[in-house]
Amino acid sequence: MKYLLLAACAALIPGLAAAAPAFLPTRDVQVDYTLSGTGQAPQNYQLSYNAQHQLARVDSPNGFFVLADLPRGEAKLVVPALHAIVSAPDFSALTAEISQADGANFSPLGQGHYAGLECRNYLVTDQHGSATACLTRDGVVLHFVGHDAHGGADVTATSVNFGPQPADGFVPPPGFAPLNLPPGAVAALLQQH
């Protein structure tokens, strides 16, 4: 489960090399995605992105959501069922990779079309594995298929809605208690839901 959510986050907001096309949305957007992974049934996720502050929120079908602050390299897992905000080292490491670009290389592969929008396909390679990604001109990932040592993930946008994403949607709910977990413990927590 952890791998699928990390793959979803990476696919939805992938870290790419400086010479790469826009890899983060350049304007506020909300995107619905279907994610399937090795040995897992497809699930639906929603990404909300505030472009001005580079804030991302990924809502899962299991009731929890991830809040990522890319400039700060921070991520929090919000688990409403536990009334808890989990500092998530596993996800924070991913946001740091996104912000630092992690040295990925892009090779254009042609055009694509998903969720009613045009995009350009790229072969993306880095030291962790390879993927194909279809990106709009304004940095929205419409399709992503990637593989690494942990398996594979296939992410496809089913709807894209551009419009203001207020900053208050990217903060934990008031009254939730902080819960600190060591790296790897988040996976155990997520498997219980």
Side-chain angles (χ1 to χ4, degrees):
M1 179 65 165
K2 180 189 91 170
Y3 170 70
L4 286 180
L5 193 54
L6 288 175
C9 288
L12 303 180
I13 45 178
L16 311 176
F23 59 88
L24 293 172
T26 58
R27 54 186 173 140
D28 288 8
V29 67
Q30 189 172 74
V31 186
D32 292 325
Y33 290 98
T34 298
L35 166 69
S36 57
T38 305
Q40 301 288 328
Q43 294 188 320
N44 297 318
Y45 288 82
Q46 184 176 76
L47 167 72
S48 301
Y49 189 78
N50 177 295
Q52 179 182 359
H53 301 289
Q54 292 187 338
L55 301 174
R57 175 178 171 148
V58 179
D59 288 276
S60 83
N62 299 323
F64 60 84
F65 55 95
V66 174
L67 299 174
D69 184 326
L70 298 182
R72 291 186 179 172
E74 295 176 353
K76 293 182 172 101
L77 176 68
V78 179
V79 186
L82 300 177
H83 224 66
I85 302 164
V86 180
S87 293
D90 299 335
F91 297 125
S92 291
L94 178 64
T95 63
E97 283 184 23
I98 292 166
S99 295
Q100 296 166 5
D102 209 32
N105 295 308
F106 278 72
S107 302
L109 297 175
Q111 300 298 314
H113 189 270
Y114 298 91
L117 297 174
E118 297 293 325
C119 55
R120 184 155 189 184
N121 283 303
Y122 294 90
L123 173 64
V124 185
T125 56
D126 68 11
Q127 70 265 23
H128 302 295
S130 65
T132 58
C134 203
L135 304 166
T136 67
R137 285 181 182 240
D138 42 15
V140 177
V141 176
L142 297 183
H143 188 243
F144 173 91
V145 178
H147 302 277
D148 68 10
H150 303 288
D154 186 326
V155 179
T156 304
T158 57
S159 72
V160 178
N161 294 299
F162 292 100
Q165 299 297 314
D168 62 356
F170 300 90
V171 296
F176 277 39
L179 178 62
N180 292 316
L181 296 176
V186 172
L189 177 66
L190 295 180
Q191 289 174 352
Q192 295 175 7
H193 292 276

